[in-house]
Amino acid sequence: MYYPGLDIALSLLYLLIILGEASYKRFSFLQQSLIGIVWQLPALFLSLTVLLGLDRATDFSYYFIFMLQLWHTPVLPLITLLPDFIHLDKPFYYYELFLMAPLLWTIYVLPLIKRNKSLFHQKKINPLA
Amino acid sequence: MNNRFRITIFPILVFLFLLLIVAQNWSLLTNNKNSVVYTYLHSFASGVIGSGYGSASAAEIPFSLLEPGDILLGGWPNCAYGKYSHAGLYLGEGEVLEAYVDYGICIQPLGHYDEYTELCFIRVNVSDEIKAKIIADAHNYVSKTFYPVAFKQNDRYYNCSSIIWKAYKEQKINLDANNDLWIAPESFRNSPYVNIIFEKGM
């Protein structure tokens, strides 16, 4: 049985849960940033290996980008909604695979940045006034 | 919400969906020895997981036998999902519609098929008119997203076999006799709609 669009709904739910998790006030900005990096470490490692060409030094270079795509499976349905075109012989989604780890990290720390910003812009109130 | 519960929401949902898929397709897992999942699990149990490896002999390949709409299958020994690891749709004039993780759905020259140790050319028994439609539509798939474990029924991401299955299915030709969740190159060879016009390898 095929349920068209269910993958997109699940993908959005995944992002919502991440945002919900990120909004939960437990960690400092530095701690949450580090958690985000550790969470996306496999993707960062695979992306850097492919981008720096280090994968070509192995006998299984093809599998690096393959594993990167599998890692990003939860957000892949959303990637397919973006326009598809070819740039420098590669499809657009290929570049998006490398951008996805920093993007997910940003989503994870975004609520904290917003919270810190609002604290920064809070008006000073004179308790004696 | 309780911390311990929050962190389990997504894994529980994924697990439930997987359970639903497994329940709906239990016969593919247990009874059908031609199904992709049965083949893969069987290979996995024997320690084979990839698409295989090897080097082809320098034999002359009769590419001139090919007509637009034919399917090319290529494979290496130790492929986990059947004798063939890759499939392409011949578009004519030396061009093949294929799918790779780093190129997406793309059109590639025919020549690289001589690198496979296992090679098979398949002709689908449908009219030239249907094949002409398939070839014309094939170009619309270029640059779409590749996903190695894409389900067969899908509108947005494909692998090398599912894109060919989809192209024929659009013309009401179902090349998967197994009615499987996934389609592997080997499935085309077992389809009742096809004739094998050339085969090389084991």
Side-chain angles (χ1 to χ4, degrees), chain B residues 147-168:
Chain B
Y147 186 56
V149 287
F151 287 122
K152 197 178 68 183
Q153 296 249 33
N154 202 318
D155 294 325
R156 283 175 288 106
Y157 20 61
Y158 310 93
N159 58 36
C160 65
S161 305
S162 70
I163 192 72
I164 298 171
W165 179 83
K166 167 100 174 162
Y168 271 96

Side-chain angles (χ1 to χ4, degrees), chain A residues 83-87 90-93, chain B residues 143:
Chain A
D84 50 302
F85 58 86
I86 292 170
H87 178 65
K90 306 277 188 193
F92 186 43
Y93 83 83
Chain B
S143 82

Side-chain angles (χ1 to χ4, degrees), chain B residues 28-47:
Chain B
L28 288 173
L29 273 168
T30 53
N31 298 332
N32 192 340
K33 290 189 177 178
N34 287 327
S35 77
V36 177
V37 69
Y38 185 94
T39 309
Y40 200 92
L41 287 176
H42 193 76
S43 302
F44 186 77
S46 0

Side-chain angles (χ1 to χ4, degrees), chain B residues 82-109:
Chain B
K83 185 177 173 185
Y84 301 101
S85 58
H86 186 62
L89 176 69
Y90 187 58
L91 303 176
E93 296 178 10
E95 290 187 329
V96 186
L97 182 78
E98 295 182 87
Y100 294 102
V101 66
D102 45 354
Y103 289 102
I105 312 300
C106 57
I107 293 173
Q108 295 287 331

Side-chain angles (χ1 to χ4, degrees), chain B:
Chain B
M1 200 187 294
N2 182 290
N3 260 358
R4 209 175 295 165
F5 181 67
R6 261 191 17 256
I7 211 155
T8 56
I9 294 175
F10 202 77
I12 286 173
L13 270 175
V14 170
F15 180 73
L16 284 176
F17 277 114
L18 281 176
L19 212 62
L20 189 73
I21 292 169
V22 169
Q24 280 189 337
N25 298 279
W26 186 246
S27 63
L28 288 173
L29 273 168
T30 53
N31 298 332
N32 192 340
K33 290 189 177 178
N34 287 327
S35 77
V36 177
V37 69
Y38 185 94
T39 309
Y40 200 92
L41 287 176
H42 193 76
S43 302
F44 186 77
S46 0
V48 179
I49 54 165
S51 55
Y53 46 86
S55 53
S57 59
E60 194 69 26
I61 307 298
F63 287 122
S64 57
L65 291 174
L66 288 167
E67 290 176 5
D70 287 347
I71 298 170
L72 298 104
L73 307 179
W76 310 106
N78 293 319
C79 172
Y81 40 93
K83 185 177 173 185
Y84 301 101
S85 58
H86 186 62
L89 176 69
Y90 187 58
L91 303 176
E93 296 178 10
E95 290 187 329
V96 186
L97 182 78
E98 295 182 87
Y100 294 102
V101 66
D102 45 354
Y103 289 102
I105 312 300
C106 57
I107 293 173
Q108 295 287 331
L110 175 65
H112 73 91
Y113 277 86
D114 63 6
E115 293 166 9
Y116 288 105
T117 53
E118 321 291 326
L119 188 62
C120 185
F121 298 166
I122 283 173
R123 181 148 305 148
V124 184
N125 298 317
V126 292
S127 69
D128 288 345
E129 193 189 347
I130 288 179
K131 284 185 185 173
K133 278 184 191 166
I134 287 166
I135 303 299
D137 289 348
H139 291 86
N140 298 331
Y141 296 118
V142 172
S143 82
K144 295 272 182 209
T145 307
F146 173 92
Y147 186 56
V149 287
F151 287 122
K152 197 178 68 183
Q153 296 249 33
N154 202 318
D155 294 325
R156 283 175 288 106
Y157 20 61
Y158 310 93
N159 58 36
C160 65
S161 305
S162 70
I163 192 72
I164 298 171
W165 179 83
K166 167 100 174 162
Y168 271 96
K169 190 71 175 72
E170 292 285 304
Q171 303 303 323
K172 315 274 185 256
I173 314 291
N174 182 3
L175 291 178
D176 180 25
N178 288 327
N179 283 322
D180 206 334
L181 270 181
W182 291 279
I183 185 155
E186 189 99 4
S187 315
F188 296 123
R189 197 183 176 282
N190 301 329
S191 167
Y193 282 103
V194 305
N195 284 336
I196 293 162
I197 51 174
F198 171 76
E199 196 163 25
K200 176 195 104 166
M202 287 190 298

